[in-house]
Amino acid sequence: MKNKTYDITFTVNNKLEKMTVEARTTVLSLLRDQLGLTGTKEGCSNGNCGACTVNIDGYTIDSCCVFGVEIEGSTIETIENFSSDAKNLHPIQESFLRNGGLQCGICTPGFILSTQHLLKNIPDPTEDEIRLWLAGNLCRCTGYDKIILSVQDIISSESS
Amino acid sequence: MHDFDYIKAKSIDQASTALLDQPTNSSILAGGTDLVDQMRRGVKTPDLIVDIKSIPELQRVALKENALILGGGVPVSRIYNQQGILSEFPGLETSLRLIGSIQIQNRATIAGNIGNASPSADLVPILVALESKATIATGNSKREIEIEKLITEPGIIATEPGELIENINIPLPKGKSTNSYLRFTPRAEMDIAVVSLGVSIELEPDATIVHCKIALGAVTPKPIRALDAEQYMLGKRLNIETVKEAAFLINQSAAPISDIRASAQYRLELLPVIGERAIRSCAINLGISL
Ligand SMILES: Cc1cc2nc3c(=O)[nH]c(=O)nc-3n(C[C@H](O)[C@H](O)[C@H](O)COP(=O)(O)OP(=O)(O)OC[C@H]3O[C@@H](n4cnc5c(N)ncnc54)[C@H](O)[C@@H]3O)c2cc1C
Ligand code: FES
Ligand code: FES
């Protein structure tokens, strides 16, 4: 049987996209498999690890838990909207690099999206607030301390 | 994942009609933080999902003179981000901020937490303690039901095909009153309650308890109130003896099971401790030192 499909229009990283999806296609799979935006990662596929974090209409969400058909008309930001130029990184990327806030890097796109969302809502967070806002992102490599340090360092370099 | 049809409903009527057309195998979709994973694991295999997030009535958040109205489709972070709306409901605010992570809170709804009907759902005990009701709607009817009665067993709520939770209606506490919610989890974040407890309390000026509701989570298959403890507290002064005795009586209402997260015995050890702390935090909210 041919699966029913749905036409959707949305904006990803300031670019208007029109595409046809099955209802069961998640936003994660749509970004990676149909749009080739493979910066967004798949970890657990059930909402626990945050590797698939993207920003939809100003809010971070786990893209593995949202269907593509739900995002009709939405504005999405993924890690590809930051910088791919090593000499001119976004301040959050730069700070993670400088402070050893990543090793294998699988979790990093998610952490960067969550950090951006945190700093937009709380420009000068305490360590407890940083840990709380990043609790939905898991990292198997760094032990977290350097991630916390990376976030704190963005704040102090921006205020100096 | 299996294949299915999808409808983004624009009105209660449209959602209700779509659900009635496919009564045995359709499912309402709110934030999807429970449903999508259940579908991925094949636990649920609806042929049709009806997305209710674009229905205007379900997006309503309003503080009225005597009640707080929270639309069924509003993500919990949109509720606690509204300045002042939860000032009478510290216990509810605690529970909303406990659900999963920020990413989950940006998506998860109250109606979904109730609709999923997990015994460890964090919003249910405090909503029950606050005597909240759900407005259940179809295209041409509306009825109200207490949250306590709406959830009938794990995973099951007492709605008919075509009905959906339009909003949750929480009476504003009266007089000198407050509320609190506490859960125990082995990890600080991203964990599921081993036991939990919501309490809502009203005092006379001299600290005599005139109104008290205590609801338990994760220790019975469906929401339950600690009636013995409530009864005991009525008419007593809120002091340390009252709190200790009430906390002890809470276990009379619990019938926990042993599962992967904790033994029944351990839950019964924890519950009075959580109960005492939750009631103490009400006292702190009211400026009473015990
Ligand atoms: C990583 C992770 C962590 C979590 N942590 C917690 C936690 O700490 N505490 C906790 O309590 N929960 C937790 N959850 C579970 C979940 O996030 C909550 O239960 C949430 O409130 C569900 O809301 P939703 O809108 O996503 O529901 P959905 O998944 O959309 O729906 C859940 C159920 O409710 C039904 N439903 C939805 N809306 C309505 C309506 N308007 N009328 C009738 N039925 C409806 C659906 O048909 C479905 O059966 C967690 C989930 C994940 C993935
Ligand atoms: S892949 Fe989405 S949260 Fe882990
Ligand atoms: S850097 Fe490897 S998982 Fe975080």
Side-chain angles (χ1 to χ4, degrees), chain B residues 256-286:
Chain B
I257 54 166
S258 294
D259 64 14
I260 187 169
R261 272 177 283 120
S263 66
Q265 175 73 36
Y266 184 51
R267 288 190 158 99
L268 290 174
E269 296 281 340
L270 280 172
L271 194 55
V273 179
I274 295 294
E276 178 177 331
R277 289 186 190 168
I279 304 170
R280 275 174 180 271
S281 88
C282 285
I284 292 170
N285 291 348
L286 293 170

PDB file of all heavy atoms in Angstrom, chain B residues 256-286:
ATOM      1  N   PRO B 256       1.585   0.516  47.392  1.00  0.00           N
ATOM      2  CA  PRO B 256       2.593   0.511  46.326  1.00  0.00           C
ATOM      3  C   PRO B 256       2.944  -0.895  45.848  1.00  0.00           C
ATOM      4  O   PRO B 256       2.712  -1.869  46.559  1.00  0.00           O
ATOM      5  CB  PRO B 256       3.810   1.144  47.009  1.00  0.00           C
ATOM      6  CG  PRO B 256       3.640   0.866  48.451  1.00  0.00           C
ATOM      7  CD  PRO B 256       2.159   0.858  48.701  1.00  0.00           C
ATOM      8  N   ILE B 257       3.485  -0.956  44.655  1.00  0.00           N
ATOM      9  CA  ILE B 257       4.012  -2.216  44.134  1.00  0.00           C
ATOM     10  C   ILE B 257       5.541  -2.119  44.107  1.00  0.00           C
ATOM     11  O   ILE B 257       6.109  -1.031  44.180  1.00  0.00           O
ATOM     12  CB  ILE B 257       3.501  -2.497  42.695  1.00  0.00           C
ATOM     13  CG1 ILE B 257       3.812  -1.315  41.776  1.00  0.00           C
ATOM     14  CG2 ILE B 257       2.013  -2.810  42.701  1.00  0.00           C
ATOM     15  CD1 ILE B 257       3.668  -1.630  40.307  1.00  0.00           C
ATOM     16  N   SER B 258       6.174  -3.279  44.001  1.00  0.00           N
ATOM     17  CA  SER B 258       7.620  -3.311  43.765  1.00  0.00           C
ATOM     18  C   SER B 258       7.829  -3.336  42.263  1.00  0.00           C
ATOM     19  O   SER B 258       7.159  -4.087  41.553  1.00  0.00           O
ATOM     20  CB  SER B 258       8.234  -4.577  44.375  1.00  0.00           C
ATOM     21  OG  SER B 258       8.124  -4.537  45.774  1.00  0.00           O
ATOM     22  N   ASP B 259       8.713  -2.500  41.777  1.00  0.00           N
ATOM     23  CA  ASP B 259       9.036  -2.556  40.349  1.00  0.00           C
ATOM     24  C   ASP B 259      10.500  -2.217  40.160  1.00  0.00           C
ATOM     25  O   ASP B 259      11.259  -2.159  41.136  1.00  0.00           O
ATOM     26  CB  ASP B 259       8.101  -1.648  39.525  1.00  0.00           C
ATOM     27  CG  ASP B 259       8.259  -0.182  39.867  1.00  0.00           C
ATOM     28  OD1 ASP B 259       9.255   0.182  40.528  1.00  0.00           O
ATOM     29  OD2 ASP B 259       7.386   0.614  39.469  1.00  0.00           O
ATOM     30  N   ILE B 260      10.875  -1.974  38.921  1.00  0.00           N
ATOM     31  CA  ILE B 260      12.290  -1.782  38.607  1.00  0.00           C
ATOM     32  C   ILE B 260      12.888  -0.593  39.356  1.00  0.00           C
ATOM     33  O   ILE B 260      14.075  -0.563  39.653  1.00  0.00           O
ATOM     34  CB  ILE B 260      12.447  -1.632  37.076  1.00  0.00           C
ATOM     35  CG1 ILE B 260      13.918  -1.598  36.660  1.00  0.00           C
ATOM     36  CG2 ILE B 260      11.735  -0.405  36.553  1.00  0.00           C
ATOM     37  CD1 ILE B 260      14.104  -1.721  35.169  1.00  0.00           C
ATOM     38  N   ARG B 261      12.052   0.386  39.714  1.00  0.00           N
ATOM     39  CA  ARG B 261      12.593   1.594  40.339  1.00  0.00           C
ATOM     40  C   ARG B 261      12.694   1.524  41.861  1.00  0.00           C
ATOM     41  O   ARG B 261      13.514   2.208  42.451  1.00  0.00           O
ATOM     42  CB  ARG B 261      11.825   2.828  39.878  1.00  0.00           C
ATOM     43  CG  ARG B 261      12.432   3.391  38.599  1.00  0.00           C
ATOM     44  CD  ARG B 261      11.707   4.562  38.041  1.00  0.00           C
ATOM     45  NE  ARG B 261      10.487   4.139  37.362  1.00  0.00           N
ATOM     46  CZ  ARG B 261       9.286   4.525  37.681  1.00  0.00           C
ATOM     47  NH1 ARG B 261       9.113   5.364  38.676  1.00  0.00           N
ATOM     48  NH2 ARG B 261       8.251   4.089  37.013  1.00  0.00           N
ATOM     49  N   ALA B 262      11.820   0.759  42.492  1.00  0.00           N
ATOM     50  CA  ALA B 262      11.876   0.666  43.955  1.00  0.00           C
ATOM     51  C   ALA B 262      10.994  -0.475  44.435  1.00  0.00           C
ATOM     52  O   ALA B 262      10.031  -0.860  43.765  1.00  0.00           O
ATOM     53  CB  ALA B 262      11.395   1.978  44.585  1.00  0.00           C
ATOM     54  N   SER B 263      11.317  -0.985  45.625  1.00  0.00           N
ATOM     55  CA  SER B 263      10.455  -1.995  46.227  1.00  0.00           C
ATOM     56  C   SER B 263       9.285  -1.298  46.913  1.00  0.00           C
ATOM     57  O   SER B 263       9.365  -0.108  47.255  1.00  0.00           O
ATOM     58  CB  SER B 263      11.236  -2.822  47.252  1.00  0.00           C
ATOM     59  OG  SER B 263      11.604  -1.993  48.337  1.00  0.00           O
ATOM     60  N   ALA B 264       8.216  -2.056  47.138  1.00  0.00           N
ATOM     61  CA  ALA B 264       7.053  -1.507  47.830  1.00  0.00           C
ATOM     62  C   ALA B 264       7.464  -1.024  49.220  1.00  0.00           C
ATOM     63  O   ALA B 264       7.076   0.059  49.673  1.00  0.00           O
ATOM     64  CB  ALA B 264       5.969  -2.572  47.925  1.00  0.00           C
ATOM     65  N   GLN B 265       8.291  -1.823  49.884  1.00  0.00           N
ATOM     66  CA  GLN B 265       8.776  -1.495  51.227  1.00  0.00           C
ATOM     67  C   GLN B 265       9.488  -0.125  51.242  1.00  0.00           C
ATOM     68  O   GLN B 265       9.239   0.724  52.095  1.00  0.00           O
ATOM     69  CB  GLN B 265       9.756  -2.608  51.643  1.00  0.00           C
ATOM     70  CG  GLN B 265      10.454  -2.394  52.956  1.00  0.00           C
ATOM     71  CD  GLN B 265       9.501  -2.611  54.112  1.00  0.00           C
ATOM     72  OE1 GLN B 265       8.640  -3.484  54.035  1.00  0.00           O
ATOM     73  NE2 GLN B 265       9.630  -1.815  55.167  1.00  0.00           N
ATOM     74  N   TYR B 266      10.356   0.063  50.258  1.00  0.00           N
ATOM     75  CA  TYR B 266      11.123   1.308  50.180  1.00  0.00           C
ATOM     76  C   TYR B 266      10.182   2.490  49.959  1.00  0.00           C
ATOM     77  O   TYR B 266      10.327   3.564  50.552  1.00  0.00           O
ATOM     78  CB  TYR B 266      12.135   1.194  49.039  1.00  0.00           C
ATOM     79  CG  TYR B 266      13.072   2.377  48.892  1.00  0.00           C
ATOM     80  CD1 TYR B 266      13.792   2.869  49.970  1.00  0.00           C
ATOM     81  CD2 TYR B 266      13.242   2.998  47.653  1.00  0.00           C
ATOM     82  CE1 TYR B 266      14.657   3.935  49.832  1.00  0.00           C
ATOM     83  CE2 TYR B 266      14.105   4.066  47.492  1.00  0.00           C
ATOM     84  CZ  TYR B 266      14.806   4.540  48.588  1.00  0.00           C
ATOM     85  OH  TYR B 266      15.660   5.597  48.443  1.00  0.00           O
ATOM     86  N   ARG B 267       9.176   2.287  49.103  1.00  0.00           N
ATOM     87  CA  ARG B 267       8.215   3.370  48.850  1.00  0.00           C
ATOM     88  C   ARG B 267       7.496   3.763  50.140  1.00  0.00           C
ATOM     89  O   ARG B 267       7.240   4.933  50.398  1.00  0.00           O
ATOM     90  CB  ARG B 267       7.207   2.950  47.780  1.00  0.00           C
ATOM     91  CG  ARG B 267       7.803   2.882  46.382  1.00  0.00           C
ATOM     92  CD  ARG B 267       6.714   2.693  45.320  1.00  0.00           C
ATOM     93  NE  ARG B 267       7.177   3.137  44.020  1.00  0.00           N
ATOM     94  CZ  ARG B 267       7.640   2.334  43.057  1.00  0.00           C
ATOM     95  NH1 ARG B 267       7.693   1.029  43.260  1.00  0.00           N
ATOM     96  NH2 ARG B 267       8.043   2.825  41.902  1.00  0.00           N
ATOM     97  N   LEU B 268       7.172   2.741  50.955  1.00  0.00           N
ATOM     98  CA  LEU B 268       6.466   3.038  52.213  1.00  0.00           C
ATOM     99  C   LEU B 268       7.386   3.724  53.231  1.00  0.00           C
ATOM    100  O   LEU B 268       6.929   4.451  54.103  1.00  0.00           O
ATOM    101  CB  LEU B 268       5.867   1.757  52.808  1.00  0.00           C
ATOM    102  CG  LEU B 268       4.686   1.177  52.008  1.00  0.00           C
ATOM    103  CD1 LEU B 268       4.252  -0.167  52.574  1.00  0.00           C
ATOM    104  CD2 LEU B 268       3.499   2.155  51.976  1.00  0.00           C
ATOM    105  N   GLU B 269       8.683   3.470  53.117  1.00  0.00           N
ATOM    106  CA  GLU B 269       9.632   4.191  53.970  1.00  0.00           C
ATOM    107  C   GLU B 269       9.725   5.664  53.540  1.00  0.00           C
ATOM    108  O   GLU B 269       9.853   6.572  54.358  1.00  0.00           O
ATOM    109  CB  GLU B 269      11.044   3.581  53.854  1.00  0.00           C
ATOM    110  CG  GLU B 269      11.180   2.155  54.339  1.00  0.00           C
ATOM    111  CD  GLU B 269      11.280   2.069  55.855  1.00  0.00           C
ATOM    112  OE1 GLU B 269      11.616   3.076  56.486  1.00  0.00           O
ATOM    113  OE2 GLU B 269      10.989   0.974  56.392  1.00  0.00           O
ATOM    114  N   LEU B 270       9.702   5.876  52.229  1.00  0.00           N
ATOM    115  CA  LEU B 270       9.901   7.222  51.698  1.00  0.00           C
ATOM    116  C   LEU B 270       8.694   8.132  51.869  1.00  0.00           C
ATOM    117  O   LEU B 270       8.823   9.328  52.124  1.00  0.00           O
ATOM    118  CB  LEU B 270      10.177   7.153  50.185  1.00  0.00           C
ATOM    119  CG  LEU B 270      11.581   6.798  49.734  1.00  0.00           C
ATOM    120  CD1 LEU B 270      11.578   6.594  48.217  1.00  0.00           C
ATOM    121  CD2 LEU B 270      12.558   7.912  50.105  1.00  0.00           C
ATOM    122  N   LEU B 271       7.507   7.539  51.699  1.00  0.00           N
ATOM    123  CA  LEU B 271       6.305   8.360  51.592  1.00  0.00           C
ATOM    124  C   LEU B 271       6.078   9.298  52.784  1.00  0.00           C
ATOM    125  O   LEU B 271       5.828  10.493  52.585  1.00  0.00           O
ATOM    126  CB  LEU B 271       5.098   7.445  51.336  1.00  0.00           C
ATOM    127  CG  LEU B 271       3.827   8.115  50.866  1.00  0.00           C
ATOM    128  CD1 LEU B 271       4.054   8.957  49.608  1.00  0.00           C
ATOM    129  CD2 LEU B 271       2.753   7.062  50.603  1.00  0.00           C
ATOM    130  N   PRO B 272       6.181   8.804  54.034  1.00  0.00           N
ATOM    131  CA  PRO B 272       5.983   9.735  55.159  1.00  0.00           C
ATOM    132  C   PRO B 272       7.039  10.842  55.196  1.00  0.00           C
ATOM    133  O   PRO B 272       6.743  11.964  55.613  1.00  0.00           O
ATOM    134  CB  PRO B 272       6.120   8.834  56.397  1.00  0.00           C
ATOM    135  CG  PRO B 272       5.921   7.440  55.909  1.00  0.00           C
ATOM    136  CD  PRO B 272       6.405   7.417  54.497  1.00  0.00           C
ATOM    137  N   VAL B 273       8.254  10.521  54.731  1.00  0.00           N
ATOM    138  CA  VAL B 273       9.318  11.529  54.732  1.00  0.00           C
ATOM    139  C   VAL B 273       8.977  12.642  53.732  1.00  0.00           C
ATOM    140  O   VAL B 273       9.059  13.841  54.043  1.00  0.00           O
ATOM    141  CB  VAL B 273      10.687  10.884  54.363  1.00  0.00           C
ATOM    142  CG1 VAL B 273      11.783  11.938  54.333  1.00  0.00           C
ATOM    143  CG2 VAL B 273      11.012   9.748  55.332  1.00  0.00           C
ATOM    144  N   ILE B 274       8.559  12.211  52.532  1.00  0.00           N
ATOM    145  CA  ILE B 274       8.177  13.179  51.509  1.00  0.00           C
ATOM    146  C   ILE B 274       6.948  13.970  51.974  1.00  0.00           C
ATOM    147  O   ILE B 274       6.848  15.184  51.794  1.00  0.00           O
ATOM    148  CB  ILE B 274       7.860  12.435  50.175  1.00  0.00           C
ATOM    149  CG1 ILE B 274       9.124  11.758  49.638  1.00  0.00           C
ATOM    150  CG2 ILE B 274       7.251  13.346  49.128  1.00  0.00           C
ATOM    151  CD1 ILE B 274      10.203  12.709  49.220  1.00  0.00           C
ATOM    152  N   GLY B 275       6.014  13.251  52.621  1.00  0.00           N
ATOM    153  CA  GLY B 275       4.802  13.896  53.124  1.00  0.00           C
ATOM    154  C   GLY B 275       5.137  14.970  54.146  1.00  0.00           C
ATOM    155  O   GLY B 275       4.645  16.106  54.082  1.00  0.00           O
ATOM    156  N   GLU B 276       6.004  14.621  55.087  1.00  0.00           N
ATOM    157  CA  GLU B 276       6.372  15.590  56.122  1.00  0.00           C
ATOM    158  C   GLU B 276       7.030  16.821  55.483  1.00  0.00           C
ATOM    159  O   GLU B 276       6.698  17.970  55.815  1.00  0.00           O
ATOM    160  CB  GLU B 276       7.323  14.945  57.141  1.00  0.00           C
ATOM    161  CG  GLU B 276       7.749  15.943  58.200  1.00  0.00           C
ATOM    162  CD  GLU B 276       8.634  15.329  59.286  1.00  0.00           C
ATOM    163  OE1 GLU B 276       8.514  14.127  59.580  1.00  0.00           O
ATOM    164  OE2 GLU B 276       9.448  16.096  59.848  1.00  0.00           O
ATOM    165  N   ARG B 277       7.926  16.569  54.541  1.00  0.00           N
ATOM    166  CA  ARG B 277       8.624  17.706  53.913  1.00  0.00           C
ATOM    167  C   ARG B 277       7.667  18.577  53.102  1.00  0.00           C
ATOM    168  O   ARG B 277       7.804  19.809  53.085  1.00  0.00           O
ATOM    169  CB  ARG B 277       9.738  17.193  52.993  1.00  0.00           C
ATOM    170  CG  ARG B 277      10.881  16.608  53.787  1.00  0.00           C
ATOM    171  CD  ARG B 277      12.029  16.232  52.873  1.00  0.00           C
ATOM    172  NE  ARG B 277      13.010  15.448  53.618  1.00  0.00           N
ATOM    173  CZ  ARG B 277      14.010  14.784  53.062  1.00  0.00           C
ATOM    174  NH1 ARG B 277      14.161  14.807  51.742  1.00  0.00           N
ATOM    175  NH2 ARG B 277      14.860  14.104  53.802  1.00  0.00           N
ATOM    176  N   ALA B 278       6.711  17.943  52.439  1.00  0.00           N
ATOM    177  CA  ALA B 278       5.770  18.729  51.623  1.00  0.00           C
ATOM    178  C   ALA B 278       4.896  19.607  52.523  1.00  0.00           C
ATOM    179  O   ALA B 278       4.654  20.780  52.214  1.00  0.00           O
ATOM    180  CB  ALA B 278       4.906  17.795  50.772  1.00  0.00           C
ATOM    181  N   ILE B 279       4.441  19.038  53.657  1.00  0.00           N
ATOM    182  CA  ILE B 279       3.604  19.842  54.557  1.00  0.00           C
ATOM    183  C   ILE B 279       4.446  20.946  55.210  1.00  0.00           C
ATOM    184  O   ILE B 279       4.012  22.088  55.343  1.00  0.00           O
ATOM    185  CB  ILE B 279       2.910  18.967  55.628  1.00  0.00           C
ATOM    186  CG1 ILE B 279       2.095  17.851  54.966  1.00  0.00           C
ATOM    187  CG2 ILE B 279       1.987  19.824  56.501  1.00  0.00           C
ATOM    188  CD1 ILE B 279       1.569  16.795  55.927  1.00  0.00           C
ATOM    189  N   ARG B 280       5.684  20.594  55.576  1.00  0.00           N
ATOM    190  CA  ARG B 280       6.586  21.620  56.121  1.00  0.00           C
ATOM    191  C   ARG B 280       6.798  22.760  55.128  1.00  0.00           C
ATOM    192  O   ARG B 280       6.881  23.921  55.521  1.00  0.00           O
ATOM    193  CB  ARG B 280       7.962  21.013  56.431  1.00  0.00           C
ATOM    194  CG  ARG B 280       8.075  20.352  57.779  1.00  0.00           C
ATOM    195  CD  ARG B 280       9.441  19.689  57.853  1.00  0.00           C
ATOM    196  NE  ARG B 280       9.646  19.023  59.115  1.00  0.00           N
ATOM    197  CZ  ARG B 280      10.160  19.612  60.192  1.00  0.00           C
ATOM    198  NH1 ARG B 280      10.513  20.880  60.157  1.00  0.00           N
ATOM    199  NH2 ARG B 280      10.313  18.938  61.300  1.00  0.00           N
ATOM    200  N   SER B 281       6.903  22.415  53.856  1.00  0.00           N
ATOM    201  CA  SER B 281       7.152  23.507  52.909  1.00  0.00           C
ATOM    202  C   SER B 281       5.914  24.392  52.768  1.00  0.00           C
ATOM    203  O   SER B 281       6.031  25.598  52.520  1.00  0.00           O
ATOM    204  CB  SER B 281       7.702  22.988  51.577  1.00  0.00           C
ATOM    205  OG  SER B 281       6.682  22.662  50.708  1.00  0.00           O
ATOM    206  N   CYS B 282       4.720  23.821  53.006  1.00  0.00           N
ATOM    207  CA  CYS B 282       3.517  24.667  53.072  1.00  0.00           C
ATOM    208  C   CYS B 282       3.629  25.636  54.245  1.00  0.00           C
ATOM    209  O   CYS B 282       3.297  26.822  54.119  1.00  0.00           O
ATOM    210  CB  CYS B 282       2.263  23.805  53.243  1.00  0.00           C
ATOM    211  SG  CYS B 282       1.751  22.967  51.753  1.00  0.00           S
ATOM    212  N   ALA B 283       4.093  25.108  55.384  1.00  0.00           N
ATOM    213  CA  ALA B 283       4.239  25.969  56.571  1.00  0.00           C
ATOM    214  C   ALA B 283       5.218  27.106  56.264  1.00  0.00           C
ATOM    215  O   ALA B 283       4.949  28.271  56.586  1.00  0.00           O
ATOM    216  CB  ALA B 283       4.720  25.136  57.762  1.00  0.00           C
ATOM    217  N   ILE B 284       6.317  26.765  55.606  1.00  0.00           N
ATOM    218  CA  ILE B 284       7.311  27.799  55.258  1.00  0.00           C
ATOM    219  C   ILE B 284       6.673  28.847  54.346  1.00  0.00           C
ATOM    220  O   ILE B 284       6.833  30.051  54.557  1.00  0.00           O
ATOM    221  CB  ILE B 284       8.548  27.151  54.586  1.00  0.00           C
ATOM    222  CG1 ILE B 284       9.288  26.297  55.612  1.00  0.00           C
ATOM    223  CG2 ILE B 284       9.475  28.209  53.992  1.00  0.00           C
ATOM    224  CD1 ILE B 284      10.373  25.412  55.045  1.00  0.00           C
ATOM    225  N   ASN B 285       5.910  28.373  53.341  1.00  0.00           N
ATOM    226  CA  ASN B 285       5.231  29.316  52.437  1.00  0.00           C
ATOM    227  C   ASN B 285       4.355  30.305  53.204  1.00  0.00           C
ATOM    228  O   ASN B 285       4.173  31.447  52.785  1.00  0.00           O
ATOM    229  CB  ASN B 285       4.315  28.581  51.444  1.00  0.00           C
ATOM    230  CG  ASN B 285       5.090  27.773  50.421  1.00  0.00           C
ATOM    231  OD1 ASN B 285       6.293  27.915  50.300  1.00  0.00           O
ATOM    232  ND2 ASN B 285       4.379  26.916  49.682  1.00  0.00           N
ATOM    233  N   LEU B 286       3.779  29.829  54.314  1.00  0.00           N
ATOM    234  CA  LEU B 286       2.860  30.674  55.075  1.00  0.00           C
ATOM    235  C   LEU B 286       3.563  31.411  56.215  1.00  0.00           C
ATOM    236  O   LEU B 286       2.928  32.030  57.068  1.00  0.00           O
ATOM    237  CB  LEU B 286       1.713  29.822  55.637  1.00  0.00           C
ATOM    238  CG  LEU B 286       0.769  29.239  54.573  1.00  0.00           C
ATOM    239  CD1 LEU B 286      -0.167  28.212  55.201  1.00  0.00           C
ATOM    240  CD2 LEU B 286      -0.025  30.337  53.886  1.00  0.00           C
TER     241      LEU B 286
END
